[in-house]
Amino acid sequence: MSSTPETPASAAPLQPEDLTGFFRRAERPDPRSHKIGTEQEKFGVVVADGSYRPVEYEAHVLAVMRAFMERFGWKPGSERGNDGALISLERDGASITLEPGGQFELSGKPLADVHQTCQEFTQHQRELHAVSQELGIAWLASGFHPFATREEVHWMPKPRYAVMRAYLPTRGQRGLDMMLRTCTVQANFDFASEQQAGTRFRLAMGVSALTTALFANSPYKEGEDRGFASLRSDNWTDVDAARCGLLPWAFEAPFSYQRYIDWALDVPMFFIRRQGRYIPLHVPFRQYMATGYVDPDGVRHSATQGDWELHLSTLFPEIRLKPYLEVRGCDSVRQSVVCALPALWKGLLYDDDASEAAWELVAGLDFGERLALWAECRQAALASPRVRALCERLVAIARGGLERADIRDHRGRTESFFLDSLDALVAAGTSPADVARAQVGPHPGRDLAGRRAFVRAFHFAGAGLEDT
């Protein structure tokens, strides 16, 4: 879930041409200018008092954010929470934001290559570790919270979350779990033209199930193995069918910005934002754009560019189109694997031969078969012989794309180096979820011993490893 715009881009009434213009202005015709942005979320756990419980805002998360400002030069972000609460940080084009349950998210700066983005995430991990170890807080990288109940997770003071908290349960059974108990790693990629945006959108939507399998890292819920490699992915199937999942029209030619817009216009809204206040509004954007809205105070609102951009940020398909292409289908993973995510997708999307070869892996599937593959990937992941074989080929294709790009670090390694961790997983037929299972077993439980075991198994940064 990305941050929403703090202020509308424009208060002028929205015109039909503004809808496509938002995407056309983002085109980067020179492929040499195409960059990578990576985002990752982590769960916080209080270790210092021996409780191993989810973090709270005032006592824990705010302390971490203040330490980031005092020690590492981060500045308060423009977005503020309830009563002016600090809820975001900024530094040199990167940002740190809070998800509803206190998940700590780094949204990295758009960078030229995977070497740079991995350096950025390594620096983030070291900063988070240094601060959190002193504060007695552990941060876990897992797609679904391995032991906390929904009631144990504390809400962060962001006003938009109050609207979503009330609305999402009317759309599906697991919207609040999505908000409070899921974490992801995702990456963002540029496009040169409408045609290229469509080609990359279709490819990414087509192979996203396989990336879900490669990064599946959430078998546990409330202390028990629930039989899914990625419970996070399964959770998304019951949040809001109108705004989530695979989009069938993505596989139908020809693509156009207008097709994405037509889909987005028919998705019910969460809210509009005025003077820092989120006003609930749950009609399709198409209706709002046509007739406006009179709020409970009698004030009439017309659709603006800011409203449109805000609405686009509340759509959650597996692949999302913004001023960049956002790939969203993967669980949060430990530092040793996280850099493989932008590397894999860069190898597939930024090399035409790799894109064509990767599409051929899934080109013959109808939409029902695509849904079945997605289900197989989130449940069995690399334990499925079919999924394992497809993932082996996918990683090899991405490696070829990165080798052809031939961008090397100071040790002479191309970006394909970052795929080595995926090769090891595929060769063993084990997703990160299986690695965790081997470490803690099927029934760790929710007692103190079980929570400690989960902290060790999914540890990303901070305290919690001292007794190992």
Side-chain angles (χ1 to χ4, degrees):
M1 298 165 57
S2 296
S3 299
T4 55
E6 171 64 13
T7 55
S10 170
L14 189 64
Q15 303 300 317
E17 58 270 21
D18 296 329
L19 304 179
T20 54
F22 179 60
F23 299 116
R24 295 194 188 284
R25 288 191 298 273
E27 293 173 354
R28 302 173 72 93
D30 184 354
R32 294 171 297 180
S33 70
H34 290 191
K35 296 184 178 181
I36 311 157
T38 308
E39 306 173 27
Q40 187 200 22
E41 303 161 355
K42 289 81 63 179
F43 296 113
V45 175
V46 182
V47 172
D49 62 1
S51 65
Y52 285 75
R53 57 190 169 88
V55 291
E56 301 175 39
Y57 172 73
E58 289 282 352
H60 311 116
V61 178
L62 182 58
V64 173
M65 298 179 78
R66 285 174 171 165
F68 265 63
M69 291 190 295
E70 293 168 1
R71 296 179 55 177
F72 302 120
W74 290 82
K75 305 296 183 184
S78 58
E79 185 179 9
R80 287 283 176 164
N82 301 337
D83 300 319
L86 178 68
I87 56 173
S88 65
L89 301 174
E90 298 174 352
R91 185 183 69 186
D92 190 28
S95 66
I96 290 172
T97 54
L98 304 179
E99 293 302 301
Q103 301 98 316
F104 204 74
E105 178 179 8
L106 172 67
S107 296
K109 178 181 180 179
L111 294 166
D113 58 63
V114 185
H115 299 301
Q116 293 180 28
T117 201
C118 198
Q119 290 171 2
E120 176 185 46
F121 270 73
T122 299
Q123 180 180 7
H124 172 68
Q125 189 272 340
R126 290 172 177 169
E127 292 178 356
L128 187 60
H129 181 74
V131 165
S132 301
Q133 190 170 44
E134 294 176 4
L135 294 171
I137 298 169
W139 295 96
L140 312 187
S142 173
F144 196 92
H145 203 296
F147 62 79
T149 66
R150 187 188 294 174
E151 292 72 24
E152 288 175 326
V153 180
H154 300 274
W155 289 89
M156 295 297 105
K158 295 179 72 168
R160 64 176 290 194
Y161 293 155
V163 179
M164 297 172 66
R165 182 179 183 177
Y167 177 65
L168 280 176
T170 71
R171 306 294 296 178
Q173 296 298 309
R174 292 188 274 179
L176 298 187
D177 282 331
M178 177 274 290
M179 294 179 72
L180 295 172
R181 297 200 285 177
T182 64
C183 279
T184 185
V185 58
Q186 57 195 49
N188 308 315
F189 296 90
D190 292 317
F191 47 85
S193 63
E194 185 171 26
Q195 180 181 1
Q196 189 178 73
T199 300
R200 291 179 174 176
F201 186 76
R202 182 187 68 165
L203 167 62
M205 193 73 74
V207 302
S208 63
L210 301 179
T211 66
T212 295
L214 285 164
F215 292 87
N217 191 35
S218 52
Y220 297 101
K221 178 181 179 181
E222 297 175 14
E224 299 291 323
D225 187 339
R226 302 305 176 106
F228 282 85
S230 177
L231 278 170
R232 181 207 58 83
S233 180
D234 186 63
N235 194 93
W236 275 107
T237 64
D238 194 10
V239 171
D240 183 351
R243 71 182 71 241
C244 303
L246 299 177
L247 306 180
W249 57 264
F251 306 104
E252 302 167 359
F255 171 89
S256 66
Y257 294 141
Q258 190 62 49
R259 294 197 77 173
Y260 191 88
I261 289 166
D262 286 341
W263 169 72
L265 286 171
D266 290 329
V267 176
M269 302 165 64
F270 280 157
F271 34 53
I272 57 175
R273 191 174 186 278
R274 296 293 186 272
Q275 287 78 51
R277 183 166 65 101
Y278 287 89
I279 302 171
L281 180 57
H282 305 316
V283 301
F285 197 94
R286 189 186 303 276
Q287 177 180 333
Y288 171 53
M289 190 172 174
T291 64
Y293 170 63
V294 179
D295 70 25
D297 296 327
V299 177
R300 170 168 287 281
H301 303 278
S302 298
T304 68
Q305 182 72 26
D307 294 333
W308 176 235
E309 294 179 22
L310 178 59
H311 178 59
L312 289 174
S313 77
T314 67
L315 309 179
F316 308 129
E318 292 296 282
I319 309 299
R320 181 160 65 179
L321 188 61
K322 295 176 75 176
Y324 42 80
L325 199 67
E326 185 179 74
V327 293
R328 300 171 37 81
C330 297
D331 290 355
S332 186
V333 289
R334 298 177 72 168
Q335 180 68 16
S336 59
V337 187
V338 70
C339 296
L341 186 281
L344 178 74
W345 279 112
K346 183 191 177 186
L348 298 174
L349 294 174
Y350 282 3
D351 181 271
D352 290 343
D353 290 342
S355 296
E356 184 176 351
W359 173 245
E360 287 303 312
L361 295 178
V362 295
L365 302 179
D366 62 31
F367 191 67
E369 291 168 331
R370 297 185 191 282
L371 293 176
L373 177 61
W374 187 28
E376 187 176 350
C377 287
R378 63 177 170 263
Q379 182 156 21
L382 298 177
S384 159
R386 175 172 80 132
V387 172
R388 180 181 177 186
L390 287 169
C391 286
E392 182 177 25
R393 294 167 66 188
L394 189 74
V395 175
I397 291 167
R399 184 177 290 277
L402 295 174
E403 291 286 355
R404 285 188 289 274
D406 198 27
I407 298 174
R408 298 179 181 268
D409 66 7
H410 67 284
R411 296 172 61 180
R413 298 174 299 188
T414 71
E415 295 162 297
S416 68
F417 160 76
F418 296 108
L419 300 180
D420 290 354
S421 59
L422 297 185
D423 280 337
L425 291 169
V426 172
T430 57
S431 65
D434 297 314
V435 175
R437 284 165 165 156
Q439 185 170 342
V440 300
H443 309 292
R446 288 177 18 85
D447 63 9
L448 187 55
R451 293 178 182 224
R452 283 175 172 165
F454 282 129
V455 167
R456 290 192 293 268
F458 294 109
H459 192 270
F460 180 85
L465 297 184
E466 292 79 6
D467 61 345
T468 60

